[in-house]
Amino acid sequence: MEEPAKKRILSGMRPTGNLHLGNLHGALANWKELQYEYQCFFFIADWHALTTEYKDPKGIQAYILEMVIDWISVGLDPEISTFFLQSAIKEHTELHLILSMITPLAWLERNPTYKEQQQELESKDIATYGFLGYPVLQAADILMYQAHAVPVGLDQAPHVELTREIARRFNFLYGEFFPVPELLLTEVPKLLGIDGRKMSKSYNNSVFLSDSLEEVRRKLSQMVTDPQRARRHDPGDPEVCVLFPFHKIYSPPETIAEINRECRKAGIGCVDCKKRLIEKVIEALEPVRTKREYLSRNIDEVRQILEAGNRKSRAFAERTLTGVRELIGF
Ligand code: SF4
């Protein structure tokens, strides 16, 4: 008996820097699970990166293959999922243009992340037409592959809502064509940077997948802990400590329970607690590092994987655009 076709999902990442542990335990861990259940298209969103990096776009190129290396090293399998580069599929620009024609301006202006991002990225001038239309480009990405669902964190949910509205509007104007994608809301563990702020490339506080084991060790040993534990015998609270969420991921249940108990009565010191964490993180990252090294030495293999994914995605995109052009009569 033929297997029922898997539902399709699409998700992407902007190549604006190396991937860190926050990315690993956020989007990537989720993608790893989803790849067995869904037909997955994962893409490198270089045009999206251009919306904020347009003044100095050279850096974008440097991170494209690095991103593919990271994806494979953490366990995404290009044999079962399709990886592609957004700018290699020119149909995305055409669909973006067509969807721009039917998207009311008010939908974009009311997008809550638009103003938030402008404040967050105040060092960059993003009061541009391209940045306002960012969610329309995202809608083009998603609808191009007729995705049934999109995995997102809560902060990205309004963008997918907008994609759903754009799909409905297209279907209403020209005839049923695009599936209206569902939101696959994902809970991600909140991992902060080593200084206790949001883990971000711009704060220089992240542990990267490309870091050497020495760097991982050095960075983790600098991690801030509960400020109440200024002295060894001061009791602490793991729930306010930057380290504890990492233990919850990397340490066995008995260690987590022990730290949770002993920290509160100063039965364990922060130095010891960090040492235990570092050993576990190093152990977990070792296979990632080995795979990374292999792929970095065999970069042509990585390039070929991306090119094969581009070919497959392009064929899909061409079919979608043929259908779209027919419906609007072009
Ligand atoms: S003992 Fe561990 S969990 Fe408690 S404050 Fe120190 S580092 Fe954080």
Side-chain angles (χ1 to χ4, degrees):
M1 213 168 71
E2 219 176 284
E3 257 189 66
K6 284 181 181 171
K7 285 193 171 177
R8 214 164 16 255
I9 60 169
L10 175 121
S11 200
M13 281 187 181
R14 289 156 34 99
T16 52
N18 286 314
L19 298 187
H20 51 59
L21 294 186
N23 302 121
L24 172 60
H25 299 293
L28 291 176
N30 189 33
W31 289 7
K32 266 173 70 178
E33 301 271 315
L34 294 169
Q35 66 181 342
Y36 301 107
E37 196 182 332
Y38 291 87
Q39 182 190 9
C40 296
F41 282 85
F42 297 129
F43 74 105
I44 296 157
D46 55 344
W47 271 324
H48 283 291
L50 199 57
T51 55
T52 54
E53 311 301 312
Y54 63 90
K55 284 189 182 161
D56 185 17
K58 290 198 184 72
I60 298 173
Q61 290 305 314
Y63 291 117
I64 290 172
L65 290 181
E66 281 293 302
M67 189 166 267
V68 180
I69 291 177
D70 279 336
W71 288 359
I72 301 171
S73 303
V74 301
L76 290 181
D77 185 349
E79 294 288 322
I80 50 178
S81 296
T82 305
F83 303 165
F84 72 89
L85 178 66
Q86 186 187 27
S87 68
I89 319 297
K90 306 295 181 211
E91 283 76 7
H92 284 240
T93 51
E94 188 176 346
L95 189 56
H96 175 219
L97 179 84
I98 293 169
L99 298 181
S100 298
M101 301 300 172
I102 67 166
T103 304
L105 199 50
W107 289 6
L108 299 173
E109 286 168 338
R110 75 169 187 226
N111 169 18
T113 54
Y114 176 60
K115 286 206 169 70
E116 259 168 47
Q117 288 264 300
Q118 275 195 323
Q119 281 162 1
E120 214 172 282
L121 302 171
E122 58 185 11
S123 62
K124 302 196 186 234
D125 178 7
I126 50 170
T128 58
Y129 170 61
F131 190 69
L132 180 67
Y134 184 101
V136 185
L137 182 56
Q138 219 168 40
D141 302 331
I142 296 166
L143 299 179
M144 182 70 82
Y145 300 93
Q146 319 236 345
H148 301 94
V150 185
V152 278
L154 208 52
D155 54 333
Q156 284 288 309
H159 284 172
V160 184
E161 262 319 321
L162 199 60
T163 297
R164 289 161 55 82
E165 287 185 71
I166 293 173
R168 283 195 209 99
R169 188 161 165 88
F170 183 96
N171 292 347
F172 171 77
L173 290 170
Y174 308 115
E176 281 300 316
F177 185 69
F178 290 119
V180 178
E182 299 296 326
L183 268 81
L184 273 183
L185 274 183
T186 42
E187 286 238 13
V188 292
K190 198 160 174 52
L191 296 180
L192 296 173
I194 58 171
D195 58 358
R197 292 187 291 172
K198 180 181 166 189
M199 201 182 282
S200 159
K201 301 147 206 162
S202 42
Y203 294 152
N204 195 22
N205 64 356
S206 312
V207 177
F208 296 107
L209 298 176
S210 51
D211 281 345
S212 67
L213 296 184
E214 291 68 40
E215 279 172 304
V216 174
R217 207 179 279 279
R218 183 183 57 77
K219 286 182 178 176
L220 291 180
S221 62
Q222 289 169 353
M223 224 173 199
V224 296
T225 62
D226 178 0
Q228 296 300 321
R229 297 209 65 185
R231 284 159 303 187
R232 170 67 181 81
H233 58 266
D234 293 332
D237 179 0
E239 293 306 331
V240 300
C241 178
V242 177
L243 224 82
F244 196 52
F246 287 88
H247 268 300
K248 285 184 179 166
I249 293 172
Y250 288 98
S251 297
E254 51 288 5
T255 305
I256 300 167
E258 183 193 335
I259 290 167
N260 197 16
R261 189 180 62 241
E262 295 301 318
C263 173
R264 292 170 199 276
K265 51 183 185 184
I268 181 173
C270 293
V271 173
D272 193 25
C273 185
K274 271 185 194 172
K275 272 191 195 150
R276 294 170 77 169
L277 175 71
I278 290 169
E279 291 323 307
K280 286 290 165 197
V281 175
I282 297 273
E283 196 182 303
L285 290 184
E286 177 60 31
V288 177
R289 196 185 61 88
T290 309
K291 188 86 190 169
R292 268 201 122 269
E293 274 182 9
Y294 168 81
L295 292 168
S296 302
R297 282 198 310 273
N298 295 277
I299 200 73
D300 277 345
E301 228 175 270
V302 180
R303 218 172 261 124
Q304 280 163 18
I305 287 170
L306 190 59
E307 278 165 13
N310 287 345
R311 280 195 296 277
K312 186 172 165 192
S313 307
R314 197 173 293 122
F316 202 120
E318 280 168 5
R319 282 199 300 278
T320 300
L321 255 298
T322 302
V324 166
R325 286 190 208 108
E326 265 170 27
L327 279 172
I328 60 174
F330 271 56

